């Protein structure tokens, strides 16, 4: 047998620990001071700025072979990384859909890395905290404490977890052992035509294929048409498919529309379907006193995907999948290899958390959520959600009052879809004008919006999932959009 030779007694053993902790301490204090100032002054900086050529070039440097003092490494980060963020911690970042992070959460991430635990499971404090945060999230949504759950990288993974459990529960065969080819009838999943793209990826990864996910038309409010859904299910049964799961969306990515979750829960029960809710945007509205009614029925789901890195503003990444029937959840993922058997005492006597998802090693995501919840209390997070929804409504009113702008979809929560009217422009020319407005808002560092197309109509899209946004930011956005619209139209730059 080949055995390692070992070091000679005289070889100095190496470590990644610093040779001088006092130096590292001084530098670390400076980093924390800089970090506090960075966040304190975020409003004074542009939302986003293009990187100059030398910064881009910096990231093509080759693999370092020899050491660099940590202070110089930090200088590199200060010069080339910190000034060029995506911008989502800025008060006027409203693109796509993300949270705006928070300092306490960042401290949590730092401490999680310092403490260093692997949340694959085991008997240690971080594992208990991971389960506690899952329990708190269940409580926030009115989900039974007997349900199970797992913290994952984000909403996409949380949806994959829920849909995997749904597939396995409805497959009619041991799909883990025999695969989807052994199913007597092909499964059908349903969701609205406003479903997030991660569901398509999930269907593909689950071996069911994109076509097994039927997109049901939406009404004028962009909510799933329940009658059309009922009809599609009947058609599929007749055609030899097995209707398996309906995905309700609590807050669509395009417009924030919330499907009628009560009606979907009823229909799922009548049709014997799994009821999954994609609540990545809106599930946490359940903690917002003024708006919780909008997501009534979410507590009746079989599984829910939600995203603490959105409306709890946890630093990336943290999503969560909740499953009402804990046994189905565990049965979908648990594997006990010989090297991960539990012991009656000691480190391996705790729960194996990797039994609830696809990862084996897992980061200590719970700490950043736990610390911020503990510091502020859940009621404040609820009020901040109400605040963002009120801001969405305010912005919609400002747009309605501005003759050169128009809303293009109903504003139900914190997402506002609108466009510049473009003084008689239509089609591609109107789209080009609005795209140019969006790009200049970004390039001038004023605001980050994104765009989308809803029921065939291109629009700009403002998603106010941001605890730093103030009313004055919304006024500024409207003012600057009107100014840019005028400038671009005059110069003909968009054509
Ligand atoms: C409705 C919805 N579902 C799923 C996701 C995916 O979440 P994540 O980006 O955390 O993977 C998003 C992201 O914005 C979303 O809006």
């Amino acid at each position: 047998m080949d055995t390692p030779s070992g070091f000679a007694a005289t070889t100095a053993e190496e470590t990644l620990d610093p040779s001088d902790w006092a130096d590292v301490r001084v530098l670390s204090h400076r980093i924390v001071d800089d970090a506090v100032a960075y966040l304190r002054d975020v409003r004074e900086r542009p939302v986003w700025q293009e990187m100059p050529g030398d910064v881009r070039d910096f990231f093509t440097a080759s693999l370092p072979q020899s050491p660099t003092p940590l202070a110089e490494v930090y200088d590199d980060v200060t010069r080339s990384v910190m000034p060029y963020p995506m911008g989502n911690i800025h008060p006027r970042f409203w693109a796509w859909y993300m949270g705006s992070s928070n300092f306490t959460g960042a401290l949590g991430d730092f401490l999680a890395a310092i403490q260093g635990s692997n949340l694959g499971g085991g008997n240690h404090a971080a594992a208990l905290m991971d389960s506690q945060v899952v329990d708190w999230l269940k409580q926030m949504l009115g989900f039974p404490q007997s349900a199970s759950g797992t913290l994952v990288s984000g909403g996409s993974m949380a949806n994959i977890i829920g849909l995997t459990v749904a597939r396995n529960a409805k497959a009619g065969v041991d799909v883990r052992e025999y695969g989807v080819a052994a199913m007597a009838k092909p499964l059908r999943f349903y969701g609205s035509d406003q479903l997030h793209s991660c569901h398509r990826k999930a269907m593909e990864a689950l071996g069911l294929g994109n076509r097994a996910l039927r997109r049901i038309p939406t009404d004028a409010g962009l909510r799933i048409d329940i009658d059309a859904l009922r009809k599609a299910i009947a058609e599929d049964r007749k055609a030899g498919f097995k209707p398996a799961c309906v995905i309700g969306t609590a807050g669509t990515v395009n417009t924030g529309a919330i499907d009628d979750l009560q009606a979907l829960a009823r229909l799922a029960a009548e049709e014997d379907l799994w009821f999954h809710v994609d609540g990545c945007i809106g599930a946490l509205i359940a903690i917002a006193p003024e708006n919780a009614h909008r997501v009534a029925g979410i507590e009746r789901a079989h599984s829910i995907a939600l995203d603490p890195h959105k409306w709890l503003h946890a630093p990336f990444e943290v999503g969560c999948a909740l499953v009402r029937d804990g046994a189905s959840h565990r049965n979908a993922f648990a594997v006990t290899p010989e090297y991960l058997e539990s012991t009656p005492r000691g480190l391996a006597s705790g729960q194996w958390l990797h039994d609830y998802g696809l990862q084996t090693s897992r980061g200590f995501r719970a700490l950043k959520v736990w610390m911020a919840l503990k510091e502020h209390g859940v009621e404040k997070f609820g009020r901040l959600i109400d605040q963002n929804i009120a801001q969405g409504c305010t912005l919609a009113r400002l747009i309605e009052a501005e003759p050169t702008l128009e809303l293009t979809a109903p504003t139900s929560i914190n997402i506002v879809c609108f466009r510049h009217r473009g003084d008689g422009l239509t089609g591609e020319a109107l789209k080009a004008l609005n795209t140019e407005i969006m790009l200049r808002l970004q390039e001038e560092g004023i605001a980050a919006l994104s765009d989308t197309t809803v029921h065939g109509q291109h629009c700009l899209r403002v998603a106010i999932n941001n605890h730093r946004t103030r009313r004055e930011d919304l006024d500024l956005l409207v003012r600057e959009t009107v100014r840019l619209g005028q400038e671009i139209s005059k110069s003909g730059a968009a054509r």
Side-chain angles (χ1 to χ4, degrees), residues 97 154-156 159 196 198 249 251 253 278 280-281 307 309-310:
Y97 203 97
S156 304
N159 278 310
H196 189 269
C198 70
T249 302
V253 64
D278 178 348
C280 289
I281 285 180
D307 242 355
H309 65 204
K310 292 189 168 70

Side-chain angles (χ1 to χ4, degrees), residues 209-229:
N210 180 39
R211 293 207 180 173
L213 177 56
R214 277 193 74 165
R215 275 73 163 183
I216 306 299
T218 41
D219 61 20
L222 286 307
R223 293 149 45 110
I224 193 166
D225 178 336
I226 304 281
D227 288 336
L229 170 62

Side-chain angles (χ1 to χ4, degrees), residues 171-191:
V173 294
D174 182 350
V175 77
R176 289 189 67 187
E177 196 61 27
Y178 301 107
V180 290
M183 294 185 316
K185 290 180 177 181
L187 301 186
R188 279 283 207 237
F189 284 45
Y190 306 84

Side-chain angles (χ1 to χ4, degrees), residues 279-435:
C280 289
I281 285 180
L284 286 161
I285 293 176
I287 61 171
E290 312 261 307
N291 289 282
H293 63 94
R294 296 178 191 276
V295 293
I298 196 166
E299 70 290 348
R300 295 169 68 183
H302 293 101
S303 53
I304 305 174
L306 69 145
D307 242 355
H309 65 204
K310 292 189 168 70
W311 244 333
L312 292 185
H313 302 290
F316 291 119
E317 311 159 332
V318 54
C320 179
L322 298 177
V323 182
R324 173 178 302 279
D325 174 11
S328 305
H329 187 182
R330 192 171 182 282
N331 288 343
F333 297 103
V335 180
T336 307
E338 65 280 12
Y339 44 85
L340 284 177
E341 280 183 3
S342 296
T343 52
R345 301 190 320 281
L347 187 49
S349 63
Q351 226 196 345
W352 285 123
L353 300 172
H354 66 77
D355 278 343
Y356 294 87
L358 293 163
Q359 289 180 255
T360 306
S361 289
R362 299 172 64 246
F364 187 7
R365 297 189 174 102
L367 186 56
K368 57 191 166 196
V369 178
W370 190 94
M371 282 178 64
L373 277 170
K374 186 104 173 148
E375 180 192 12
H376 298 291
V378 68
E379 288 178 2
K380 180 161 184 183
F381 284 96
R383 290 196 302 275
L384 285 170
I385 292 172
D386 278 340
Q387 180 172 297
N388 280 167
I389 294 175
Q391 287 168 333
C393 179
T394 300
L395 178 61
R397 277 204 234 106
L398 291 174
I399 288 166
E400 279 176 323
E402 173 48 58
T404 58
L405 306 180
E406 64 180 340
L407 294 174
T408 57
T411 305
S412 37
I413 44 171
N414 59 336
I415 300 180
V416 181
C417 291
F418 74 104
R419 67 183 174 188
H420 195 286
R421 289 180 193 270
D423 201 16
L425 295 179
T426 55
E428 283 306 306
L430 186 57
K431 179 174 178 179
L433 169 69
N434 279 284
T435 306

Side-chain angles (χ1 to χ4, degrees), residues 29-58:
H29 280 275
R30 178 151 76 85
I31 293 175
V32 171
D33 285 344
D34 291 352
V36 168
Y38 187 82
L39 214 48
R40 183 196 58 207
D41 301 337
V42 61
R43 180 173 277 281
E44 313 314 320
R45 294 193 297 274
V47 177
W48 177 84
Q49 56 180 331
E50 186 58 86
M51 286 169 281
D54 60 328
V55 170
R56 288 186 176 279
D57 291 348
F58 174 78

Side-chain angles (χ1 to χ4, degrees), residues 184-186 234-243:
K185 290 180 177 181
E235 265 170 29
D236 282 346
R237 280 199 207 286
K238 221 164 142 199
F241 295 102
K242 180 171 179 186

Side-chain angles (χ1 to χ4, degrees), residues 41-250:
D41 301 337
V42 61
R43 180 173 277 281
E44 313 314 320
R45 294 193 297 274
V47 177
W48 177 84
Q49 56 180 331
E50 186 58 86
M51 286 169 281
D54 60 328
V55 170
R56 288 186 176 279
D57 291 348
F58 174 78
F59 295 106
T60 61
S62 55
L63 174 68
Q65 303 289 343
S66 48
T68 306
L70 183 57
E72 280 178 43
V73 175
Y74 176 58
D75 283 347
D76 283 346
V77 174
T78 313
R79 221 178 8 253
S80 301
V81 179
M82 298 310 278
Y84 306 103
M86 177 171 235
N88 50 295
I89 63 166
H90 194 282
R92 289 189 299 278
F93 184 96
W94 305 303
W96 304 298
Y97 203 97
M98 27 193 114
S100 42
S101 195
N102 71 91
F103 189 73
T104 303
L107 289 177
D109 255 356
F110 173 70
L111 291 172
I114 291 293
Q115 205 244 20
S117 294
N118 185 330
L119 272 291
N123 180 19
H124 53 92
L128 294 184
M129 184 178 280
D130 190 286
S131 301
Q132 184 180 26
V133 166
V134 169
D135 282 345
W136 286 355
L137 291 168
K138 287 180 217 165
Q139 201 181 326
M140 289 186 211
L141 270 52
F143 224 46
Q145 283 301 300
S146 58
S148 66
T150 182
L151 299 181
V152 290
S153 55
S156 304
M157 191 48 71
N159 278 310
I160 287 188
I161 299 287
L163 298 186
T164 305
V165 184
R167 179 199 64 179
N168 293 12
K170 295 293 178 186
V173 294
D174 182 350
V175 77
R176 289 189 67 187
E177 196 61 27
Y178 301 107
V180 290
M183 294 185 316
K185 290 180 177 181
L187 301 186
R188 279 283 207 237
F189 284 45
Y190 306 84
S192 85
D193 60 18
Q194 298 296 304
L195 269 186
H196 189 269
S197 57
C198 70
H199 295 283
R200 175 186 173 136
K201 286 196 194 177
M203 297 304 284
E204 292 170 6
L206 290 176
L208 299 172
N210 180 39
R211 293 207 180 173
L213 177 56
R214 277 193 74 165
R215 275 73 163 183
I216 306 299
T218 41
D219 61 20
L222 286 307
R223 293 149 45 110
I224 193 166
D225 178 336
I226 304 281
D227 288 336
L229 170 62
R230 207 181 285 282
K231 230 169 103 200
I233 293 169
E235 265 170 29
D236 282 346
R237 280 199 207 286
K238 221 164 142 199
F241 295 102
K242 180 171 179 186
C245 171
V246 60
I247 305 166
T249 302

